[in-house]
Amino acid sequence: MNPSELGLPLSAAPVPVERASLTLLLRDAETGAAVGFEPVRLDDLADHMAETWRESCLRQHHPELSLSELSFNVRPLLKTDHGPACHGFLLEPSPPAPTSLSVPFTAHSLRAVATRAAERFIGCGQLKRGQLYSYEVQFRPEPERPAGSAPVLSDTASPPLEFDTCDRSPTLNWLEVPRRSLLARATAFPAGNAEAFQVFFVSSAFARAEHFARKGGSTTPPVETGAVLLGALCSCPESGDFFVVVTDAHEVLGAEQKAFSLNYTDQSWLRIQALLGARQAVTPALRLVGQAHGHNFLPGNGQTCAACPALPVCDLTNVYASEDDQLWTKATFAGAPCALCFIFGLSARGDRVHGLFTPHDARLRQRGYYVLPDFHPESWPCRSACRTPVSA
Amino acid sequence: MKALTPSPVKPAALAGSRRGMLHFEARDVTGTHVIEARNVQPATPAGAVATALASRMALPPNVPWMMRNDSTGAVLEEEKPIGDQLQAGAKVVLSPKAHLG
């Protein structure tokens, strides 16, 4: 039986990510009429590649492999064997990488591309602002590529500046820590994707993160405040899995704090980098692993439903990763092995609620975490990969 | 990533800067990406250089970037020539102009 008859996605032959030939088709959500095509550019897949690196290398006994050393293949997951429509696609490191674990991505992972396309179509009058649209991922190798969707192999937005560069990015440092030694002492707070890489918070770091994130809730009017999260990347010598331990949280000072936004200024970054440098001089494995911030406003203006007094839990909360949080995380942690986004928020009736989000399917999604009573990075062996600078 | 560094390798050029051209080191805020830039035209506006550096570091193109001189803490003015704002051998940090929400 044909796999398509079983409802299973058909995996097309792998193609290099530089020639992924993925295109989005935007349609009017009401009529289904085609609005136009938008090519998926190589830089649209940067987060996908970083996630594939994490899942197929860092979490599979190979923390020594750097992202810049890898090449990737794309396998479109076709809906049928006679059309270009895809459920999504798989991304996998290509040989000679010692691992070829495929990581699946859905059409949702390309939402930013659809948003860009919609803006373009609004600009040229093919779509009205506010008009609902849907999009479909299509695999269109060269011969059947539709007009107006020529492949874009690199970032065409870059100005054609001519200068030479040499990649001097530092190698990844990690601690070798048997994970079970931590799990035996940890308290689990499960949520969302159980397969996500594990994140441990030292209890004092968690308390500091919450304190700084909720600090803005005591001002009038409440504003967003937050902390950066410092921690160590760890590799388990037994399972080969990779995980993160958050060891400290530091208040973001000098930031522009508003009711619905938190903007790190250059002064904020100056302080963070000075702090990080000082900490890394003592413990090289420490790095910036994420941030926490407070959504210190009442969702729905604090309007609760009639049944609220009888409900044990109010499920109208503001614990979600906003579009701004998504964009900030993509920009700040591009190509980083992990990016934690911890949000401390409120329910409509003022209960304190919180959630951890990390990139999965190339977007921030809620997941669980563990809390540890303590963790001493200097007690564990620190490893580092060897790397040769790459010129371009 | 290999895939995101399309420019041809120019080992000879990297051996040293051409006369009158600028060289400096740039990194992103997390220190994940560090690149050495050589033979940058000093007359190029700093904003254009920041955009090009972000592209070479495979940072998102849909975010504007600002450059800060790491030793002085000064934020480079986008429209002014980079050569008027940086000394050769300087270190700069690229920060996204984005905010949490």
Side-chain angles (χ1 to χ4, degrees), chain A residues 107-376:
Chain A
H108 297 295
S109 73
L110 297 172
R111 188 175 161 193
V113 183
T115 304
R116 179 181 72 220
E119 286 299 320
R120 184 164 67 83
F121 294 134
I122 288 169
C124 61
Q126 289 174 260
L127 200 65
K128 292 174 186 163
R129 194 164 293 283
Q131 184 180 346
L132 291 180
Y133 65 90
S134 63
Y135 67 91
E136 175 180 273
V137 182
Q138 296 194 344
F139 174 57
R140 289 182 175 270
E142 291 299 328
E144 46 183 307
R145 183 176 295 278
S149 67
V152 181
L153 302 182
S154 61
D155 175 25
T156 53
S158 308
L161 285 186
E162 286 291 329
F163 60 89
D164 305 306
T165 54
C166 184
D167 187 358
R168 302 281 185 200
S169 301
T171 56
L172 201 62
N173 291 323
W174 70 91
L175 301 178
E176 208 168 81
V177 183
R179 190 173 51 185
R180 61 181 172 178
S181 68
L182 303 188
L183 287 171
R185 301 187 301 126
T187 305
F189 293 88
N193 178 14
E195 301 300 316
F197 68 94
Q198 286 164 327
V199 176
F200 296 84
F201 281 85
V202 175
S203 59
S204 58
F206 188 94
R208 282 169 63 82
E210 178 160 24
H211 171 72
F212 296 130
R214 295 201 185 278
K215 195 173 176 181
S218 59
T219 65
T220 306
V223 293
E224 291 199 5
T225 49
V228 288
L229 304 175
L230 265 56
L233 307 179
C234 303
S235 182
C236 174
E238 294 159 357
S239 66
D241 204 351
F242 156 95
F243 54 96
V244 179
V245 182
V246 180
T247 58
D248 210 349
H250 292 272
E251 184 175 12
V252 180
L253 297 169
E256 292 170 3
Q257 304 164 340
K258 295 183 179 173
F260 302 111
S261 67
L262 176 64
N263 184 19
Y264 289 36
T265 63
D266 56 296
Q267 290 306 305
S268 309
W269 281 119
L270 202 56
R271 288 169 190 263
I272 291 165
Q273 277 151 5
L275 169 80
L276 188 61
R279 298 295 303 276
Q280 285 176 329
V282 179
T283 312
L286 285 182
R287 61 184 292 138
L288 199 58
V289 294
Q291 57 78 30
H293 70 283
H295 286 174
N296 294 316
F297 56 90
L298 286 172
N301 289 322
Q303 293 289 317
T304 54
C305 65
C308 191
L311 294 174
V313 175
C314 172
D315 58 9
L316 176 57
T317 81
N318 58 16
V319 175
Y320 58 86
S322 67
E323 288 293 321
D324 287 336
D325 296 337
Q326 301 265 4
L327 186 63
W328 188 93
T329 303
K330 280 174 183 282
T332 305
F333 289 95
C338 74
L340 312 183
C341 174
F342 210 112
I343 293 172
F344 291 92
L346 298 166
S347 71
R349 68 185 186 195
D351 301 325
R352 289 187 166 196
V353 285
H354 58 251
L356 173 63
F357 299 77
T358 55
H360 178 71
D361 197 27
R363 56 208 164 107
L364 288 175
R365 299 180 75 186
Q366 192 167 359
R367 38 79 47 79
Y369 61 93
Y370 296 84
V371 174
L372 281 169
D374 53 56
F375 180 79
H376 304 287

Side-chain angles (χ1 to χ4, degrees), chain A residues 18 42 158 161 163-170 224 260-263 270 273 287 293 295 324-325 332 334 391, chain B residues 2-3 9-10 13-14 29-39 48 55-56 65 68 75 98-101:
Chain A
E18 298 86 345
L42 183 57
S158 308
L161 285 186
F163 60 89
D164 305 306
T165 54
C166 184
D167 187 358
R168 302 281 185 200
S169 301
E224 291 199 5
F260 302 111
S261 67
L262 176 64
N263 184 19
L270 202 56
Q273 277 151 5
R287 61 184 292 138
H293 70 283
H295 286 174
D324 287 336
D325 296 337
T332 305
S391 300
Chain B
K2 278 181 184 172
V9 177
K10 299 172 184 172
L14 281 172
V29 284
T30 63
T32 302
H33 306 277
V34 179
I35 63 174
E36 186 182 334
R38 284 189 179 272
N39 298 321
S55 173
R56 298 200 188 189
W65 298 89
R68 174 168 48 77
V75 176
H99 57 79
L100 293 163

Side-chain angles (χ1 to χ4, degrees), chain B residues 15-35:
Chain B
S17 285
R18 291 196 294 270
R19 183 182 294 272
M21 302 294 247
L22 192 62
H23 68 273
F24 56 91
E25 183 185 276
R27 62 187 166 94
D28 66 343
V29 284
T30 63
T32 302
H33 306 277
V34 179
I35 63 174

Side-chain angles (χ1 to χ4, degrees), chain A residues 23-189:
Chain A
T23 297
L24 296 194
L25 169 61
L26 266 69
R27 293 182 186 279
D28 181 309
E30 199 173 317
T31 65
V35 175
F37 291 94
E38 177 73 8
V40 177
R41 307 190 309 215
L42 183 57
D43 52 38
D44 292 325
L45 298 175
D47 293 334
H48 302 72
M49 288 188 269
E51 196 171 316
T52 303
W53 169 54
R54 186 188 72 210
E55 294 299 313
S56 65
C57 296
L58 301 184
R59 296 193 66 190
Q60 302 292 331
H61 295 271
H62 290 293
E64 80 286 356
L65 290 174
S66 75
L67 179 57
S68 61
E69 291 172 314
L70 297 175
S71 299
F72 295 90
N73 282 337
V74 171
R75 283 180 192 264
L77 295 172
L78 299 169
K79 288 182 177 175
T80 67
D81 57 3
H82 54 270
C86 300
H87 291 289
F89 58 94
L90 302 172
L91 202 56
E92 60 196 22
S94 57
T99 167
S100 60
L101 182 77
S102 297
V103 177
F105 292 94
T106 69
H108 297 295
S109 73
L110 297 172
R111 188 175 161 193
V113 183
T115 304
R116 179 181 72 220
E119 286 299 320
R120 184 164 67 83
F121 294 134
I122 288 169
C124 61
Q126 289 174 260
L127 200 65
K128 292 174 186 163
R129 194 164 293 283
Q131 184 180 346
L132 291 180
Y133 65 90
S134 63
Y135 67 91
E136 175 180 273
V137 182
Q138 296 194 344
F139 174 57
R140 289 182 175 270
E142 291 299 328
E144 46 183 307
R145 183 176 295 278
S149 67
V152 181
L153 302 182
S154 61
D155 175 25
T156 53
S158 308
L161 285 186
E162 286 291 329
F163 60 89
D164 305 306
T165 54
C166 184
D167 187 358
R168 302 281 185 200
S169 301
T171 56
L172 201 62
N173 291 323
W174 70 91
L175 301 178
E176 208 168 81
V177 183
R179 190 173 51 185
R180 61 181 172 178
S181 68
L182 303 188
L183 287 171
R185 301 187 301 126
T187 305
F189 293 88

